[in-house]
Amino acid sequence: MAPEIHMSEPMCLIRNTEEHLVTNQEALRILSAITQPVVVVAIVGLSLTGKSYLMNKLAGKERGFSVGSTVQSHTKGIWMWCVPHPQKPDHTLVLLDTEGLGGVEKVDEKNDTHFFVLAILLSSTFIYNTMNKIDQRAIDLLHNVTELTDLLWRRNSPDPNQAEEPADMSFFPDLVWTLRDFFMDFEANGQVITSDEYLEKSLKLKEGSDERTQTFNLPRLCIQKFFPVKKCFVFDSPARGSKLSQLQTLSDDELNPDFVQDLSEFCSHIFTHSKTKTLPGGIQVNGPRLESLVLTYVDAINSGVLPSMENTVVTMVRRENSTAVQKAIVHYDQLMSQRVQLPTETLQELLDLHRTCEQEALGIFRKHSFKDDDQYFQKELESLLSAKQDELCKKNVDASAALCSTLLQSIFKPLEQEVAHGLYAKPGGHSLFLQRMEQLKAQYRQRPGKGTQAEEVLQKYLNAKEPVSNTILQTDQALTAKERQRKEEQARAEAALAETRRLEALHIQEEQRRAEQQRRHQEQLRQIEAEWTKFEEEIWRITVPRRAQEEATKNKAEQEAELRALHQQIEAIRELNHCRKHKDCIIN
């Protein structure tokens, strides 16, 4: 496990529900995050024998796994605690505490077998915790291993009738047998023996072939074969009397010094000698592989059939490599979603991006794959990536087609409105329509980012508009014929009008000519008159002095005549007046 990732307290890994084993998904998630090799230490034993207390000490904690202080068993199922290994910096120590065997509250004794089997199969060090001494009852409890042995033995052998040895016992854990509250002296035949010698002596086979001897030897034979590496620890009682119920709260000074010493040696041995969990073929187990083992064995037990070691590895290979494939696919999808913007301008651009992301995905797979010797899962990944490529290419085509269709609708919408409004329903309208189409096609082609379907979608659109073009052409031709006839009639009318205007112009010109002639005639008359007047004036200028003299003489004569006449009148008047005066005088 990475140094910054660890569990602050234990968590249930496997529990029994309605006669089926159920895994805790959160615990599996924690396992899946452990990239380091794991050292798995599991403990099995009778209820209320102090198993959880030992596991807490291995975790370096006073509290963690539930320690019972009453007659009721506390641990239910299998509990897990992942902590940094105290002596192996690059390893994680996985502690598995199991439900006590033989609890009075149990309804189905198969639970004991299930948890016992799982503890052996999952661990690299298996602690068998018993009370007082190694007796036949304790050894008989390991008869569960005998049943397991028989199943594994026969399933690993090509011919069950000829099978004599398990296929690969390196898979099985080292056995550490702990004797609690041990009160006897280590002495045999008058000689002091060690705890390990006591264990070997207890597992020694008897000579003989009778049924009773075979019954005695069978569990011992199984233990010896399945656990070639064995160790025994004995513990004095940790405290006396009522203090036992407060064991978790007692300091080392309050505990039995011999027990404290025994516990220290036990923990030191576990930390120093417990090996990394390893599969046949020397395959080291990390968190995800341990997770796979848990799932494999739980599924097998629930189905009623325990898998062989070979099948277990095959299952693990399948699980782990399937997970590696999924991780690679997820990585590929993430890369493509980040780097690809559909539609791409060209297919080659998309293929190049796929190829780059494919190589990175294959790198992720190789990093997480496990014994894919025949490259079965790599080929599966390559097949999935190829399908992803095909799917992506189709999406690219669809995205390009959708984008281009939308773009065409936007660009050609004004043209469609013009057609609807009859703008091209006129002579020459088809030519105008085609010119407009060319302009809009050029505008469409200038738009970037259309993708691989740009021309194909355009062509489909143009094909769809072909009937419109034909209709405009037919309308254009029909209107052009009418327009030609109208123009011919208009030309004739214009010709007649032109002729009329020509004649009118000729008439006007004639009138203007006549008027001009009249004007010229009048002008000539005026010129003659002017010349005559000028002539007269010249004559007058020449003749006036003589005439003036003559006129003066005449006038003088006339004036003289008038003056004479006036004198005559005056004289007449004088005479008349004189006569009147004279007459008056006579009268008077």
Side-chain angles (χ1 to χ4, degrees):
M1 177 181 286
E4 68 277 7
I5 303 176
H6 62 84
M7 298 172 62
S8 59
E9 60 184 3
M11 176 182 295
C12 182
L13 175 63
I14 303 169
R15 70 180 189 277
N16 187 62
T17 303
E18 296 180 356
E19 299 184 1
H20 277 81
L21 300 180
V22 179
T23 56
N24 181 0
Q25 295 303 311
E26 179 62 20
L28 293 179
R29 185 192 65 78
I30 292 174
L31 283 179
S32 68
I34 301 174
T35 58
Q36 297 175 336
V38 293
V39 176
V40 186
V41 179
I43 191 167
V44 171
L46 295 176
S47 296
L48 305 174
T49 56
K51 303 185 303 297
S52 299
Y53 183 84
L54 290 182
M55 299 305 278
N56 285 338
K57 292 300 180 182
L58 290 176
K61 305 290 184 180
E62 295 298 328
R63 296 177 181 272
F65 291 111
S66 180
V67 177
S69 59
T70 67
V71 295
Q72 184 179 16
S73 176
H74 274 225
T75 303
K76 299 296 182 182
I78 297 180
W79 284 66
M80 174 187 78
W81 201 350
C82 302
V83 297
H85 198 288
Q87 295 187 10
K88 297 180 179 179
D90 297 329
H91 288 66
T92 295
L93 179 62
V94 180
L95 303 173
L96 300 179
D97 188 17
T98 62
E99 181 176 331
L101 303 175
V104 295
E105 299 175 357
K106 291 191 177 179
V107 178
D108 192 347
E109 292 184 357
K110 287 191 298 184
N111 285 347
D112 287 348
T113 302
H114 293 163
F115 294 136
F116 192 98
V117 166
L118 286 170
I120 293 176
L121 292 174
L122 296 175
S123 64
S124 55
T125 295
F126 173 69
I127 302 173
Y128 185 40
N129 190 67
T130 62
M131 294 297 292
N132 305 131
K133 62 181 179 179
I134 299 176
D135 55 14
Q136 188 61 41
R137 181 172 175 271
I139 293 175
D140 286 342
L141 283 176
L142 286 177
H143 190 259
N144 293 288
V145 180
T146 304
E147 296 177 347
L148 173 64
T149 303
D150 183 56
L151 284 171
L152 296 176
W153 193 345
R154 286 187 287 105
R155 288 188 174 275
N156 274 291
S157 172
D159 184 356
N161 296 324
Q162 297 179 4
E164 296 181 357
E165 294 292 338
D168 190 348
M169 291 302 101
S170 66
F171 174 78
F172 284 85
D174 296 342
L175 173 63
V176 175
W177 196 316
T178 55
L179 297 173
R180 312 298 294 275
D181 297 345
F182 189 78
F183 58 87
M184 297 187 300
D185 294 329
F186 277 129
E187 186 176 314
N189 299 324
Q191 294 182 351
V192 177
I193 60 175
T194 65
S195 58
D196 291 336
E197 290 172 338
Y198 172 61
L199 175 59
E200 293 297 332
K201 184 176 183 301
S202 300
L203 298 177
K204 185 177 180 180
L205 303 180
K206 287 184 177 181
E207 295 183 358
S209 58
D210 58 278
E211 183 177 350
R212 183 175 180 180
T213 301
Q214 289 180 356
T215 301
F216 177 86
N217 287 340
L218 180 58
R220 290 167 172 79
L221 180 62
C222 290
I223 293 171
Q224 289 180 3
K225 288 184 177 180
F226 276 89
F227 303 104
V229 179
K230 296 177 286 294
K231 181 70 178 176
C232 181
F233 285 93
V234 296
F235 295 89
D236 283 340
S237 178
R240 301 297 178 185
S242 61
K243 287 187 176 182
L244 284 174
S245 63
Q246 305 171 359
L247 196 58
Q248 284 191 109
T249 63
L250 298 179
S251 65
D252 288 349
D253 294 338
E254 297 175 286
L255 296 173
N256 181 347
D258 291 337
F259 174 79
V260 173
Q261 179 63 31
D262 296 336
L263 184 61
S264 176
E265 293 177 358
F266 165 77
C267 291
S268 177
H269 174 83
I270 295 298
F271 295 149
T272 304
H273 294 92
S274 292
K275 58 191 178 184
T276 302
K277 177 65 177 176
T278 306
L279 300 177
I283 302 168
Q284 287 190 337
V285 175
N286 56 14
R289 291 171 187 168
L290 183 59
E291 174 197 13
S292 179
L293 286 176
V294 170
L295 292 171
T296 298
Y297 291 132
V298 167
D299 291 345
I301 289 174
N302 285 335
S303 67
V305 180
L306 284 174
S308 66
M309 292 301 102
E310 180 181 358
N311 289 339
T312 298
V313 174
V314 170
T315 301
M316 181 181 294
V317 167
R318 183 172 62 253
R319 286 182 184 274
E320 191 157 341
N321 286 330
S322 295
T323 301
V325 168
Q326 290 305 313
K327 287 182 178 179
I329 291 294
V330 169
H331 185 72
Y332 171 86
D333 289 340
Q334 290 176 344
L335 289 178
M336 291 298 286
S337 65
Q338 293 169 1
R339 300 178 183 179
V340 177
Q341 182 66 42
L342 297 181
T344 57
E345 198 65 35
T346 64
L347 176 59
Q348 190 60 48
E349 179 184 347
L350 180 62
L351 294 178
D352 290 343
L353 286 170
H354 162 77
R355 190 174 299 107
T356 300
C357 296
E358 179 185 43
Q359 290 304 313
E360 292 193 34
L362 287 170
I364 292 294
F365 170 78
R366 295 187 187 101
K367 179 180 177 181
H368 294 92
S369 63
F370 172 57
K371 288 185 70 64
D372 188 24
D373 299 331
D374 57 357
Q375 295 188 335
Y376 173 83
F377 289 94
Q378 180 172 328
K379 292 176 182 176
E380 178 185 347
L381 172 60
E382 291 172 350
S383 177
L384 291 173
L385 292 176
S386 177
K388 288 274 186 182
Q389 173 186 307
D390 295 341
E391 180 184 0
L392 201 58
C393 288
K394 183 179 183 302
K395 288 183 178 180
N396 193 47
V397 168
D398 293 342
S400 175
L403 177 62
C404 291
S405 296
T406 302
L407 183 60
L408 283 171
Q409 292 298 326
S410 174
I411 291 178
F412 281 81
K413 184 177 180 179
L415 176 63
E416 295 178 356
Q417 292 175 342
E418 292 169 357
V419 172
H421 292 153
L423 184 63
Y424 301 101
K426 60 183 180 181
H430 187 253
S431 177
L432 295 176
F433 175 79
L434 293 180
Q435 291 176 8
R436 183 69 167 140
M437 286 283 283
E438 290 300 321
Q439 292 174 355
L440 296 180
K441 283 194 291 183
Q443 182 180 346
Y444 169 79
R445 289 190 172 108
Q446 289 171 358
R447 293 286 185 92
K450 298 186 294 295
T452 59
Q453 299 302 297
E455 287 302 318
E456 183 173 345
V457 173
L458 174 60
Q459 191 58 47
K460 287 182 179 179
Y461 179 84
L462 295 178
N463 291 340
K465 296 303 177 183
E466 190 66 27
V468 176
S469 177
N470 292 336
T471 300
I472 293 174
L473 176 60
Q474 293 171 2
T475 302
D476 185 1
Q477 291 174 340
L479 292 177
T480 299
K482 291 182 180 180
E483 180 67 13
R484 187 182 302 110
Q485 181 180 359
R486 185 190 67 79
K487 284 184 177 180
E488 290 175 354
E489 292 176 353
Q490 181 179 356
R492 288 194 293 270
E494 289 177 351
L497 179 60
E499 180 64 19
T500 300
R501 289 176 177 174
R502 186 183 69 82
L503 294 176
E504 289 179 351
L506 291 176
H507 176 72
I508 291 172
Q509 290 175 2
E510 182 63 22
E511 290 294 327
Q512 290 175 347
R513 187 183 63 78
R514 290 178 180 176
E516 181 66 18
Q517 288 178 347
Q518 183 66 25
R519 186 188 66 77
R520 289 178 181 177
H521 178 71
Q522 293 297 328
E523 182 67 24
Q524 288 175 353
L525 290 177
R526 283 194 298 271
Q527 288 178 357
I528 292 172
E529 290 177 354
E531 290 177 357
W532 177 255
T533 300
K534 185 177 180 182
F535 175 76
E536 286 181 342
E537 290 176 352
E538 183 64 26
I539 295 299
W540 176 257
R541 186 182 61 81
I542 296 173
T543 59
V544 161
R546 189 178 60 187
R547 287 180 179 179
Q549 185 177 5
E550 292 176 354
E551 186 68 26
T553 301
K554 181 180 179 180
N555 287 338
K556 183 178 179 182
E558 289 176 355
Q559 289 176 356
E560 290 176 352
E562 289 177 357
L563 183 59
R564 284 191 302 273
L566 180 58
H567 283 297
Q568 292 175 359
Q569 290 178 0
I570 293 172
E571 288 293 331
I573 292 171
R574 285 177 178 173
E575 289 179 359
L576 179 58
N577 288 333
H578 180 71
C579 287
R580 285 179 178 174
K581 290 179 176 182
H582 183 65
K583 184 177 183 179
D584 288 335
C585 288
I586 297 177
I587 292 174
N588 288 332

